[in-house]
Amino acid sequence: EDKVVQSPLSLVVHEGDTVTLNCSYEVTNFRSLLWYKQEKKAPTFLFMLTSSGIEKKSGRLSSILDKKELFSILNITATQTGDSAVYLCAVQAYSGAGSYQLTFGKGTKLSVIP
Amino acid sequence: DTEVTQTPKHLVMGMTNKKSLKCEQHMGHRAMYWYKQKAKKPPELMFVYSYEKLSINESVPSRFSPECPNSSLLNLHLHALQPEDSALYLCASSQGEAAHFTSYEQYFGPGTRLTVT
């Protein structure tokens, strides 16, 4: 059974801090790893990673994938209160019969306090 | 237009009611998805449509019936639901369904908050 494990499950930091969120996975037929940010409603897409060692960056957020060690990290620098959310990691893998599935981790709840 | 829209935003229904959730996207995406999300849990995949054909049905009870009338629309018909079916129902779309050499990010709609009484 495919597994996606995120750590920590929750994190409280002060504005301006840098945080690192972790996602490890055990899947067969890995295809890609995605990061989402979920506030009150639907998840918002952040990054999709398919190749090892290539950092993706968007403003203060960056992410990298290690396909040998089967993990990814999401970094947020100079955190702001608006970064408070649940960060979901999801892995896309081939599930057989020509289909691919997205398996989500439980998420990391980040709280940024002023 | 880079949006996935869902209606209604909130729905309260009794166990004997029949209702439908609607999802629409105009990004030219050819794969659409229904997820169910309970409080403080990650989304769980229910159905995948690829090129308007049902591709994956994750052993969802028959009281949930999906329909894809065209490539832009996805419906979820609800009948005889149970209180434990109360959840946030999320629709998502992607450019295509992942294949051996390609992978596509999924874009989510705002969800329908369903309460079954």
Side-chain angles (χ1 to χ4, degrees), chain B residues 3-76:
Chain B
E3 212 181 341
V4 178
T5 58
Q6 288 187 244
T7 54
K9 290 185 181 173
H10 300 275
L11 178 63
V12 179
M13 60 186 288
M15 288 191 281
T16 57
N17 290 160
K18 277 187 187 181
K19 296 283 184 186
S20 297
L21 309 184
K22 295 184 186 305
C23 174
E24 193 166 0
Q25 56 87 15
H26 294 289
M27 295 180 274
H29 288 177
R30 301 317 300 260
M32 295 184 78
Y33 312 80
W34 279 116
Y35 289 86
K36 173 182 176 180
Q37 186 174 26
K38 301 282 267 184
K40 299 186 182 178
K41 299 272 182 171
E44 294 173 25
L45 183 66
M46 298 174 74
F47 301 105
V48 179
Y49 271 83
S50 181
Y51 289 85
E52 298 154 53
K53 290 191 176 153
L54 184 62
S55 172
I56 298 176
N57 173 349
E58 287 294 318
S59 301
V60 177
S62 60
R63 55 186 185 268
F64 294 93
S65 172
E67 180 200 13
C68 189
N70 61 56
S71 59
S72 300
L73 292 172
L74 186 65
N75 299 322
L76 186 63

Side-chain angles (χ1 to χ4, degrees), chain A residues 63-80:
Chain A
S63 184
I64 198 159
L65 174 68
D66 186 327
K67 285 166 77 173
K68 187 178 172 192
E69 300 297 329
L70 308 183
F71 78 91
S72 172
I73 58 171
L74 175 69
N75 275 324
I76 309 175
T77 58
T79 51
Q80 301 170 357

Side-chain angles (χ1 to χ4, degrees), chain A residues 21-108:
Chain A
L21 310 183
N22 303 292
C23 177
S24 64
Y25 60 91
E26 287 178 32
V27 303
T28 47
N29 300 308
F30 171 89
R31 191 65 202 98
S32 62
L33 185 145
L34 298 94
W35 284 98
Y36 289 87
K37 176 183 181 183
Q38 186 169 27
E39 296 173 87
K40 293 201 173 160
K41 284 248 172 125
T44 305
F45 172 76
L46 295 175
F47 298 111
M48 183 169 75
L49 304 153
T50 53
S51 301
S52 259
I54 298 173
E55 187 185 48
K56 292 226 174 174
K57 220 168 149 56
S58 175
R60 295 176 294 103
L61 277 66
S62 63
S63 184
I64 198 159
L65 174 68
D66 186 327
K67 285 166 77 173
K68 187 178 172 192
E69 300 297 329
L70 308 183
F71 78 91
S72 172
I73 58 171
L74 175 69
N75 275 324
I76 309 175
T77 58
T79 51
Q80 301 170 357
T81 53
D83 295 326
S84 298
V86 174
Y87 289 84
L88 293 166
C89 170
V91 171
Q92 199 162 46
Y94 183 65
S95 59
S99 296
Y100 285 76
Q101 286 202 42
L102 202 60
T103 302
F104 283 85
K106 292 187 177 178
T108 292

Side-chain angles (χ1 to χ4, degrees), chain B residues 4 25 27 29 31-33 91-95 105-108:
Chain B
V4 178
Q25 56 87 15
M27 295 180 274
H29 288 177
M32 295 184 78
Y33 312 80
C91 173
S93 71
S94 63
Q95 190 176 339
E105 58 267 31
Q106 293 181 19
Y107 293 90
F108 285 82

